[in-house]
Each structure stands twice: as C-alpha cells, then as structure tokens.
C-alpha cells in the first residue's frame, strides 16, 4: 500500500470531521509533526450521549480537556456534572487571563479566544468541603452500592438485600446509618428471631458481620454522607437565566481517604438519574453530560452484580439524554462490556516505562480504528495538551483517528479564589434547601421508641450540630443497640469508643394491647408486633401490626437496588 502524502492525510481528516449540526470544537489536527488549523477536529453535540473515554497518563492534560469541553457544553445550554478531585475545575467560575504564550497557542489552532466565566454550582458530599451538601438516604442508596462501600462479599451482599427487603416491607425507613444499624440489631435480637427466620437466607452470623462493617463506617465518620434532605438529582439538569448550562462541580477534597465511598456515590447520582428520567430518544443535544473522574476506582474489586448494574446503566441511560464520560489512565481500567459502549475517545499520552505499561499501550492501540498514524509511537511521544481522538459522527460511524492539539479553556485553568467559592455557595438557591440536615422519624425511632434528634442550622460545608436533648431519652432497646455498637467499635479500633454512653431514661410502659380478633391471622407481622409491643408498649405494637396491610407496597428498586423516596 502506497504511503499517503501529508495533503492526503489532511484531506481524510477534514472530510471525516466535516459535520452538519452543532459541535464541540476540540482542536486542530497534527499531521507529520505540524499543526494544521485548517483541519479542525470536533465532536457532534448530538453524539455526546453515546458516551466517551478521556484517558492518559498523569500530567498529560486530562483535567484541562474536561475543563475545555465543559465550557463549550455550558455555552451550548447543556448542563454538566464534574467531580473536582484536585480543585482545579473550580476555575470555571473565574475568567481566564490572557498571555503571550496563550495567544500564540490559540492563534496556531485557529481558536478565537476570549476570557469568560461560566455558571457553576459548587457541591460537596455530606458537607465535606465548601459546597452545597449532597446527601443520600440509605434506602435510596440501596444494598448493592452500600455493599460496595462496606466491601462485602457476594453472600453478605445478598444478605444485605434481604435486610433492605425486610425494611421495605415493614415501612421501616432507612434514612441514615443508625436506621440500618437498628434494623440489623432488631433482627439479631431475641425479639426479631421470628422475622429473621422468615427471611430464610439471612443467618444471624452474617447479619452480625454486616453490623460490624456498619459500625466501622460510623467509626470512620461516614454517617454525614447519609441522611436528609436527600439531594434531588434533577438539580443537575438546570440551566442559568441566560440559557447556559449549569456546571455542577462536586468537590472531593478527601478522595484518597475514602475512594470507594466517593466513586460509589457518583454511581448513585447516575443511577438516580437513570430511574427518574423519561425516555427521550435521539436529541439535538444531551440533557446532561456526566464526567466520572478516577473511573478505575469504580471497578477495582467490584462484585459481579455491581459491574452488571454499571453496564446496564451505561447501555440504557443514553436513550434518556445523558452522556457519560469515564476519565482514567488507560482503557484497560474499564471493563470490556463498558468500554464497548464508549463511542467517543480522547486518548492523551501514555508512558511505557515498564513491561506492564508496554502491555497497556498495545491494548490501547488495538482499540482504535486503522489509521495513518503509528499509534504506539504517537501515544508515547504526544505532548501535554495533545491527544489521539476518534469520535462518532452524525451517521453513527467512527471518525478518522487524529492526533490533535487541544483548544485552551477560556476560564482559569486552576482553582478559583476561596472567597469567590464561598460567596457563590452563599448566594445559591440550593443552600436553603440542602444546607441544613434534618433527622425525621425513621426506623431508628420506630424500633427504639426514641424521639428524633433535633438538628440546628448547618454552616455551608459543615454538618449540623444536634441540639441538646431536654426531658427526652432513649429506651432500653436503644441502650442495647448503642452498647453493642460501642463494644464492636472498641473491638475494631482497639481503643475506647468515642460514642456517648447510652442514657438511663426508659420509655414509659403502656397498657397491654388487645389480642387480635379470631378472624385475623397476623403471621410474621403479628410475631413482630407482639415482641415489640411487649418491649416498647402498645402504641408501637399497633404501628407494627399495621404494616401487615402494606404487603403490596414493596419499593420498586432500580438496577443498583436504589430507590428514591421521591418515587414512592
């Protein structure tokens, strides 16, 4: 086969990237070592929901690529979600500063650059940062995702699903970690013996293991990520008054200490969107583009159920108008079933310092279409801010592979000032809605007979401080639960528990509840009601017995076992 000339290579790229609809401008092609601004490389906006992969070694410019794409999506009226791991993406809220070096680069690319800022909403998981707190309820998070955080094996994960099933059937709301702990403690107690037996596949020993893992989560301070008010993922679909898409920037300042929690929480956001959004078909532009940074954290050691759920979500959510871009170092970080769904590829430079690196390089090259480039050489010699690109064109076919010098962002390539972030959060309409944690009546209160703990206002980025109890207290069952939690925590941590000692106040006794009428067959609910009624009084007994009328109200859970209270 005759070797192509530079003009022929350019013509192939120009023809392949001549598109009819709106596009994201990525940069100018590099052919035979020279940048050619007449050969622009672009991505069809209508194909952004075909998902994508942004990959490359550390320091090759992946974050700047996300930054640049997010700006253009916002300008086109498309909302964007970004996980800001290093803090650099907060610069989207601050106009960039021109310089001679920047002008020289943009002129060579044919880019008309101007300093601009973009509408940014700063978010933080559970208030772990400066942004609007993002929380999820335990029942919404679901057993599969929670098992991922707790590092449960397949058997334990199945058992946790039975526990969720029991709570769903019995109207025991799992809002935060203490609710789930109370349910497990009940099932492993003498009072819950009948209910545990009725669940069949759940053993007391396995329930005890799950309880230990749950207390370990509490000991690590993870309870602040779960609770109410639960974040409504529809907030991610907003546009600014001027029509630009809002960029939701999630701060992850402590990612390295809780990688599984953060990566799994991002998957919960996607799963909740998947369950809420209607089918949309083919759109001129997506409803949302979701960037999943550090994507390898999602898949390391993941269970079969978790991987299947991710694959299903990626395959089906595009028809609901959502595009997902996985951001990681090499394509081999993403399972083959998921990688096969990623039509748009932006591959930054790779390094081949070790035999493992060389193997990853060859695997990466094998995933690209045949091209005019020697991709092994190109991928190891590409500079910072350069990437090998192929995307899906408007006809659904891959575009020619093109080594591309990428465009420069128009906002600051680095963090925004802390004062700007704080003032943006303070002015956000979401602060009043999500800034203060609440503790409503849920499984913990129902099973313990304790009054809900009142919560005060939370400063932005900080969890609320419980108000001091006055005249209230905890029942004997809750004292047992807290005592067990203290014992497990001390055993796990090897030091005295920081958990407050249980109070001595007991729930007042109540008159015995009447026996069920002869025509009633209370079954397992009657057993539970009898046990709880004897321990905590007739009022709670009546509440538990009423659960027997709700057998048909089982929650409909999604592919991850998730279920939002908004969908009940």
């Amino acid at each position: 086969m005759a070797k192509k000339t530079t003009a022929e290579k350019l013509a192939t790229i120009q023809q392949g990237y001549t598109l009819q609809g709106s596009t994201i401008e990525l940069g100018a092609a590099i052919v035979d070592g020279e940048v050619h601004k007449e050969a622009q490389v672009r991505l069809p906006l209508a194909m952004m929901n075909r998902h994508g992969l942004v990959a490359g070694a550390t320091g090759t410019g992946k974050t700047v690529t996300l930054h640049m794409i997010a700006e253009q999506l916002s300008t086109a009226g498309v909302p964007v979600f970004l996980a800001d791991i290093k803090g650099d993406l907060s610069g989207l809220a601050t106009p960039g500063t021109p310089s001679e070096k920047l002008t020289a680069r943009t002129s060579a690319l044919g880019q008309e650059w101007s300093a601009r800022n973009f509408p940014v909403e700063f978010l933080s998981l559970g208030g772990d940062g400066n942004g609007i707190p993002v929380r999820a309820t335990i029942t919404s998070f679901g057993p599969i995702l929670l098992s991922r955080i707790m590092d449960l094996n397949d058997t334990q994960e199945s058992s946790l699903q039975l526990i969720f099933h029991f709570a769903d059937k019995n109207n025991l709301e799992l809002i935060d970690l203490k609710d789930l702990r109370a349910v497990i403690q009940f099932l492993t107690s003498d009072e819950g013996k009948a209910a545990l037996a009725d669940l069949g596949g759940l053993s007391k020993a396995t329930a005890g293991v799950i309880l230990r893992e749950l207390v370990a989560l509490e000991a690590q301070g993870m309870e602040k990520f779960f609770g109410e008010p639960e974040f409504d993922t529809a907030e991610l679909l907003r546009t600014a008054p001027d029509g630009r898409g809002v960029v939701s920037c999630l701060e992850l300042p402590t990612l390295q200490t809780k990688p599984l929690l953060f990566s799994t929480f991002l998957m919960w956001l996607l799963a909740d969107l998947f369950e809420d959004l209607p089918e949309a078909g083919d759109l001129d532009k997506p409803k949302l583009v979701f960037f999943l940074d550090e994507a390898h954290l999602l898949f390391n050691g993941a269970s079969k159920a978790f991987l299947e759920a991710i694959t299903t979500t990626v395959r089906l959510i595009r028809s609901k108008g959502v595009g997902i871009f996985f951001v990681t170092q090499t394509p081999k970080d993403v399972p083959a079933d998921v990688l096969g769904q990623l039509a748009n590829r932006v591959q930054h430079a790779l390094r081949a310092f070790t035999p493992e690196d060389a193997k990853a390089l060859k695997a990466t090259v094998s995933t690209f279409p045949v091209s005019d480039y020697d991709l092994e050489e190109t991928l190891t010699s590409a500079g910072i801010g350069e990437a090998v690109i192929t995307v899906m064109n408007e006809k659904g076919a891959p575009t020619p592979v093109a080594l591309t010098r990428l465009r420069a962002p128009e906002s600051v390539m680095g963090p925004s000032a802390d004062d700007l972030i704080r003032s943006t959060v303070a002015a956000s309409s979401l602060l009043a809605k999500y800034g203060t944690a609440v503790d409503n009546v849920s499984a913990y209160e129902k099973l313990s007979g304790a009054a809900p703990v009142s919560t005060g206002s939370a400063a932005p980025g900080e969890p609320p401080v419980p108000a001091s109890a006055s005249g209230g207290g905890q029942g004997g069952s809750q004292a047992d639960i807290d005592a067990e939690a203290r014992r497990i925590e001390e055993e796990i941590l090897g030091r005295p528990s920081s958990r407050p000692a249980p109070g001595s106040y007991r729930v007042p006794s109540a008159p015995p509840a009447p026996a069920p009428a002869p025509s009633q067959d209370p079954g397992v609910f009657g057993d539970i009601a009898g046990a709880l009624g004897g321990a905590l009084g007739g009022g709670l007994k009546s509440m538990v017995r009423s659960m027997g009328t709700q057998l048909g109200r089982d929650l409909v859970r999604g592919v991850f076992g998730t279920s939002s209270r908004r969908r009940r």
Side-chain angles (χ1 to χ4, degrees), residues 31 52 72 146 167 302 329 376 380 399 411 454 456 476 482 506 567:
V31 178
Q72 294 187 58
L146 192 60
Q329 294 201 2
E376 284 196 33
T380 52
T399 58
S411 53
S454 61
D482 284 342
R506 301 188 67 83
R567 295 193 293 270

Side-chain angles (χ1 to χ4, degrees), residues 409-450:
E410 297 181 319
S411 53
V412 166
M413 290 182 282
S416 286
D418 288 343
D419 288 346
L420 174 62
I421 294 175
R422 283 193 290 266
S423 63
T424 302
V425 171
S428 171
S429 61
L430 300 185
L431 184 61
K433 188 174 181 181
Y434 300 108
T436 303
V438 295
D439 190 3
N440 293 313
V441 174
S442 51
Y444 170 85
E445 287 78 24
K446 289 181 178 180
L447 290 174
S448 70

Side-chain angles (χ1 to χ4, degrees), residues 35 45 47 76 134 168 182 302 339 346 357 366 445 489 556 568:
V35 177
L45 192 59
M47 292 293 145
V134 175
D168 290 349
L339 190 63
V346 179
D357 290 341
S366 69
E445 287 78 24
E489 183 177 334
V556 178
R568 291 193 183 188

Side-chain angles (χ1 to χ4, degrees), residues 201-246:
L202 177 62
S203 70
K204 187 171 182 176
T206 301
V209 170
I210 297 172
L211 179 62
R212 292 169 64 91
E213 295 296 332
L214 197 59
V215 173
L217 289 186
E218 292 182 288
Q220 295 169 35
M222 291 193 187
E223 70 275 359
K224 65 183 176 181
F225 301 105
F226 299 100
E228 291 182 315
E230 181 177 274
F231 187 76
D232 186 349
T233 51
E235 310 284 7
L236 303 178
L237 304 175
R238 295 178 302 140
T239 55
D242 61 6
R244 290 183 298 171
V246 171

